């Protein structure tokens, strides 16, 4: 049954009240982990800064600046006392390329190389953000592509260092207080700012921890004394919602039979049997599946494949054939796209599960028509789960810390987290019905005795899982978390 307008307004007001409490509560900052992340990030930033200088010099950057050298006595001018007047002597020095300077990017790429700007800022100045540099990476000019690559990495690390490592606002109480806004976007998704806790990269999430750790640090204690920080998220929420909204029989049956949906999608795309799908094909098919379901262009999807060295050989025609194969077995998804576009042309899109409406004024944006209902339905499910969990939690030992799109971040002071996890799982794992089709949404939980980032997966029966496919810094955090959990469990 579609919620009424009164029900929707009541849900929004209750979520806003919860958001205020979450903002006031804040999230504890793990200062030790924060300091441990600072030095590697600064070293990485200097590496990419030097790489940008080399790449810019290869493109012909040779700007010079006048630098003060020494004082000299004038041969022609004298002071009132009759002594030679002191004058400044300057020398010309090469000016290194500063990848953090928008002005220097403009000087090099527009003034010197005569490129056409791909985007502009609000003040009509050329923009060189990550999105623009990503496009320049595919340039046939190898030197320009190299500069765009290292420049994008420089800006990424610079943002991480300035926003989440050095610049993370931590109050004297040892917490950071993201400003949560409930159901604030057009799609009803929650947002946060100052900092944006939903955008913290995985390898930096170890900066945030649970209150018990902070209390121990303030009291001068150390070691684990109980208390966990957990994150429970909907498993494949968006793809399940697409299956339910479109009524796709193949996907609904796959979920009902607990099949590997990503493997089935990869098999359809590559035109092979599910048993022959490789791990690489399964991985690349995930992003490609969402791109297709959200009406991305073939050019955009081609960039997804070409971002992986293993799929550089994929051509436009090959990808078009993959898209045709995918929708040939899932015609309901394409029909669902057309229905949403017809609604947009009529003036508004109405999402069936939440009843939320988006006024379109007759403008048809295929990507918006495909994305809006899925995101709105997922946001409604998470809002219901957040309110149910908040009502059932004991605030003296269980607290919601944040909402990360389709995931809930929370903490417990208990030495055994099973009771707290069971409350959240019960609230999130609901059966939703639409047009005679029913689908249960499942969840996955990660937990840690130290911080948000250093977590391992915990199944609903309490068993722990360490995934072997984790890579990079995140894999290291997982391994450290496993050791921390082992010691903690032995203590109990």
């Amino acid at each position: 049954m579609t919620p009424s307008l009164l029900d929707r307004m009541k849900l929004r007001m209750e979520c806003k009240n919860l958001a205020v409490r979450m903002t006031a509560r804040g999230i504890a900052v793990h200062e030790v982990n924060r300091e441990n992340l600072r030095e590697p990030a600064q070293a990485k930033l200097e590496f990419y800064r030097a790489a940008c200088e080399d790449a810019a010099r290869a493109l012909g950057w040779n700007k010079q600046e006048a630098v003060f050298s020494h004082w000299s006595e004038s041969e022609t001018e004298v002071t009132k006392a009759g002594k030679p007047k002191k004058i400044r002597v300057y020398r010309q020095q090469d000016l290194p390329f500063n990848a953090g300077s928008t002005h220097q990017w403009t000087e090099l790429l527009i003034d010197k190389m005569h490129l056409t700007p791909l985007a502009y800022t609000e003040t009509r100045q050329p923009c060189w953000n990550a999105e623009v540099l990503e496009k320049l990476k595919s340039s046939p000019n190898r030197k320009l592509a190299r500069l765009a690559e290292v420049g994008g990495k420089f800006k990424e690390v610079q943002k991480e260092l300035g926003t989440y490592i050095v610049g993370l606002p931590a109050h004297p109480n040892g917490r950071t207080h993201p400003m949560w806004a409930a159901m604030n976007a057009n799609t009803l998704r929650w947002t946060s700012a100052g900092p944006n806790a939903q955008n913290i990269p995985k390898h930096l999430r170890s900066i945030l921890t649970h209150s018990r750790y902070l209390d121990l640090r303030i009291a001068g204690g150390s070691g684990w004394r109980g208390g966990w920080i957990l994150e429970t998220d909907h498993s494949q929420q968006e793809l399940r919602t697409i299956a339910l909204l479109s009524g796709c029989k193949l996907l609904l049956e796959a979920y009902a039979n607990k099949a590997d949906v990503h493997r089935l999608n990869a098999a359809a795309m590559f035109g092979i049997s599910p048993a022959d799908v490789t791990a690489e094909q399964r991985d690349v098919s995930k992003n490609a599946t969402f791109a297709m379901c959200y009406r991305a262009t073939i050019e955009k999807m081609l960039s997804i494949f070409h971002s992986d060295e293993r799929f550089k050989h994929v051509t436009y025609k090959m990808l078009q054939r993959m898209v045709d194969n995918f929708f040939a077995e899932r015609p309901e998804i394409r029909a669902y796209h057309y229905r949403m576009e017809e609604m947009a042309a009529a003036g508004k899109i109405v999402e069936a599960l939440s009843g939320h409406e988006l006024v379109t004024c007759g403008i048809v944006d295929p990507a918006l028509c495909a994305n809006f209902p899925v995101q709105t339905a997922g946001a409604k499910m998470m809002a219901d789960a957040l309110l149910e969990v908040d009502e059932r939690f004991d605030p003296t030992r269980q607290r919601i810390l944040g909402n990360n799109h389709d995931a809930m971040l929370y903490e417990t002071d208990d030495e055994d987290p099973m009771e707290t996890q069971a409350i959240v799982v019960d609230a999130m794992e609901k059966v939703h019905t639409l047009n005679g089709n029913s689908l249960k949404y499942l969840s996955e939980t990660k937990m840690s005795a130290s911080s948000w980032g250093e977590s391992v997966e915990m199944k609903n029966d309490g068993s722990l899982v360490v995934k072997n496919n984790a890579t990079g810094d995140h894999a290291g955090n997982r391994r450290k978390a496993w050791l921390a959990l082992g010691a903690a469990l032995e203590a109990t």
Side-chain angles (χ1 to χ4, degrees), residues 14 31 84 92 94 123 142 146 165 209 218 243 301 314 345 360 407 411 415 431 438 481:
E14 290 176 347
E31 290 294 349
Q92 292 295 319
D94 290 338
T123 57
R142 285 189 171 186
R146 170 62 179 169
I165 300 178
T209 185
I218 293 175
M301 293 182 59
V314 175
T360 61
E411 66 180 6
E415 293 189 1
V431 176
S438 296

Side-chain angles (χ1 to χ4, degrees), residues 69-198:
S69 174
H70 60 277
W71 290 94
S72 178
E73 294 183 351
S74 174
E75 297 179 356
T76 58
E77 298 183 56
V78 295
T79 65
K80 292 181 179 180
K83 296 181 179 179
K85 193 173 183 179
K86 297 285 186 181
I87 58 173
R88 289 175 175 265
V89 178
Y90 292 87
R91 59 183 175 83
Q92 292 295 319
Q93 169 180 293
D94 290 338
L95 179 66
F97 181 75
N98 180 8
S101 169
T102 302
H103 180 68
Q104 290 193 15
W105 278 95
T106 301
E107 280 189 285
L108 174 61
L109 300 185
I110 296 181
D111 298 344
K112 190 173 185 64
M113 299 186 64
H114 308 292
L115 295 182
T116 302
L118 299 180
Y120 291 91
T121 64
E122 294 180 355
T123 57
R124 297 301 297 168
Q125 298 299 315
C127 179
W128 307 107
N129 56 19
E131 185 177 348
V132 172
L133 295 181
E134 185 66 29
K135 294 178 181 178
L136 291 177
K137 283 169 60 176
S138 59
S139 170
N141 185 333
R142 285 189 171 186
K143 295 179 180 179
L144 177 59
R146 170 62 179 169
L147 176 62
E149 180 182 1
V150 294
K153 295 285 183 63
F154 174 86
K155 289 178 178 291
E156 179 183 336
V157 177
Q158 185 183 47
K159 179 180 178 181
E160 292 178 358
L161 188 63
T163 305
Y164 298 115
I165 300 178
V166 176
L168 183 75
H171 288 246
N173 61 7
R175 300 175 183 273
T176 184
H177 294 264
M179 183 68 70
W180 294 98
M183 308 179 82
N184 199 39
N186 281 339
T187 57
L188 302 184
R189 289 290 191 188
W190 286 45
T191 60
S192 70
N196 185 348
Q198 296 174 321

